[in-house]
Amino acid sequence: MLLIPVLAVVGWAGFAPVSVPSRDELFEIPRGTYARRMAGDKVEILPSRIRLTLGLNDVLLLRNLDEVPQVFGPTIMMPGQSFRLPFEKAASYDFACTAHASGQMTVLVEPYPAMPWSKIRWRAREWLENRTR
Amino acid sequence: MIRLALLLLLGSGAASAAPEPGALKAGVLSPVMAAPELKLQGSNGQPLRLASFRGKVVLLAFGFSSCGEVCPITLATLAGARKKLGEAAADVQVVYVTVDPERDDAARMKKFLGSFDPSFIGGVGSRAQIDAAQKSYGISSTRQVYADGNYTIGHSSSIYIIDRAGGLRAVMPYGHTADDFVHDLKILLRQ
């Protein structure tokens, strides 16, 4: 009795196209980040590890809303400036980042989930991450 | 009915993987701000100021002539991109600023860069001048000293792309191909 709905869900998860609202994965460095860090607050604004998926959310969009310049890996962002970095290759990228207490940040770019199993895994991970946010 | 459902399920998957038309492969800064000016000496014997390259697209990077890993690859990539651009390369200027002012003088940078492309211009200066240039672009460099007293320098390896008007438009992280640079340069040279 339960088999048909389970198969339907698995079939949908494995074969329906995966999609996201935007290719941009946005992260903002809030105003006051530098001041808080200088005051000794070990504030973590951005996750130390960001996961992107090619063909879905494969553009990292950073906005510096702080009052001071912030270095994100390849560049320096002035106050009010944003940096939109597209990725075209699946790999792990390590960047320096002054918005992190550790000074480091990893961007993990994964391939597009083309196969049914990878689609199911992608959906399951998205679902779990949305639940924990 | 089943066939229709399958078509709907499978239909639009590939579209989202297509790159956005007209977009740069480099990371784009917005709003565009003026590229911080350099106050250095050029390997050509002239004062090195970005303002003197207005009207050209400038590819600005930092490195050093004793670098055995990152810099030769970056410079070979940029030289390859200029070759592929053909005549349009006349409107592209590569500027390579040393992070090792203790060893790199104008003559040494000229010889080093000239082995890749004689049009490349190196930036040299005092430690204070180089530090100021690095700070303005968020460039980090760390000296690693060997047991024999020799040293190498780990440094930021991105390439800054400055448009014809002197605006800091984009940053290409290390590892991109000459074709990626050609793609972006063609877009920026049309503007």
Side-chain angles (χ1 to χ4, degrees):
Chain A
M1 192 69 175
L2 209 62
L3 188 62
I4 290 173
V6 168
L7 283 176
V9 169
V10 171
W12 169 82
F15 288 98
V18 290
S19 63
V20 292
S22 168
R23 295 181 79 153
D24 293 350
E25 193 72 29
L26 171 66
F27 295 93
E28 292 181 332
I29 302 170
R31 189 181 177 88
T33 299
Y34 178 76
R36 286 174 65 188
R37 186 147 298 134
M38 288 300 101
D41 188 355
K42 288 184 179 176
V43 57
E44 286 292 356
I45 302 302
L46 307 174
S48 57
R49 188 167 172 271
I50 292 174
R51 189 171 54 83
L52 303 179
T53 306
L54 289 180
L56 294 171
N57 59 337
D58 53 8
V59 179
L60 186 62
L61 176 58
L62 295 171
R63 283 199 188 119
N64 180 16
L65 303 179
D66 206 354
E67 297 98 334
V68 299
Q70 295 277 2
V71 174
F72 163 69
T75 191
I76 188 167
M77 283 185 295
M78 294 298 148
Q81 206 169 29
S82 67
F83 181 59
R84 190 172 186 274
L85 180 62
F87 290 89
E88 293 185 345
K89 286 179 187 165
S92 179
Y93 300 85
D94 291 321
F95 293 120
C97 184
T98 54
H100 282 99
S102 68
Q104 289 290 321
M105 173 179 177
T106 299
V107 179
L108 180 63
V109 182
E110 297 185 333
Y112 179 79
M115 302 304 288
W117 167 243
S118 58
K119 281 190 173 73
I120 293 170
R121 196 176 58 177
W122 184 86
R123 284 185 212 283
R125 198 160 48 194
E126 286 294 301
W127 182 74
L128 284 170
E129 284 181 3
N130 286 335
R131 274 176 60 104
T132 54
R133 272 175 198 162
Chain B
M1 190 68 178
I2 293 171
R3 196 174 294 169
L4 178 65
L6 277 174
L7 280 173
L8 285 171
L9 281 172
L10 298 170
S12 60
S16 62
E20 295 168 32
L24 298 184
K25 291 180 181 290
V28 174
L29 288 157
S30 176
V32 177
M33 296 181 181
E37 185 54 281
L38 299 174
K39 291 173 185 167
L40 300 170
Q41 191 66 27
S43 58
N44 57 358
Q46 304 293 316
L48 180 59
R49 303 284 184 274
L50 292 174
S52 62
F53 304 123
R54 292 287 187 273
K56 292 187 176 187
V57 174
V58 175
L59 302 176
L60 170 67
F62 292 73
F64 62 114
S65 67
S66 308
C67 180
E69 296 172 13
V70 171
C71 296
I73 293 172
T74 298
L75 289 164
T77 301
L78 299 182
R82 285 191 83 253
K83 269 186 190 155
K84 289 186 175 195
L85 279 172
E87 288 183 4
D91 279 350
V92 176
Q93 179 63 57
V94 172
V95 174
Y96 214 73
V97 175
T98 186
V99 294
D100 187 13
E102 288 77 16
R103 292 189 294 197
D104 285 338
D105 58 16
R108 185 165 167 154
M109 283 297 274
K110 184 175 183 178
K111 186 179 176 189
F112 173 61
L113 297 175
S115 65
F116 295 93
D117 185 326
S119 77
F120 289 2
I121 295 177
V124 298
S126 66
R127 167 50 67 190
Q129 288 173 316
I130 295 297
D131 284 348
Q134 286 188 220
K135 188 179 178 189
S136 64
Y137 283 89
I139 300 294
S140 60
S141 63
T142 311
R143 188 180 291 204
Q144 296 154 341
V145 182
Y146 300 124
D148 64 0
N150 201 358
Y151 62 88
T152 188
I153 300 173
H155 59 90
S156 307
S157 52
S158 299
I159 296 99
Y160 290 83
I161 303 177
I162 299 164
D163 64 23
R164 289 180 188 272
L168 183 50
R169 284 285 292 274
V171 184
M172 190 77 89
Y174 174 75
H176 280 263
T177 63
D179 286 337
D180 290 342
F181 280 95
V182 170
H183 172 273
D184 285 7
L185 287 167
K186 281 182 176 174
I187 292 171
L188 293 171
L189 288 170
R190 281 198 295 266
Q191 297 173 358

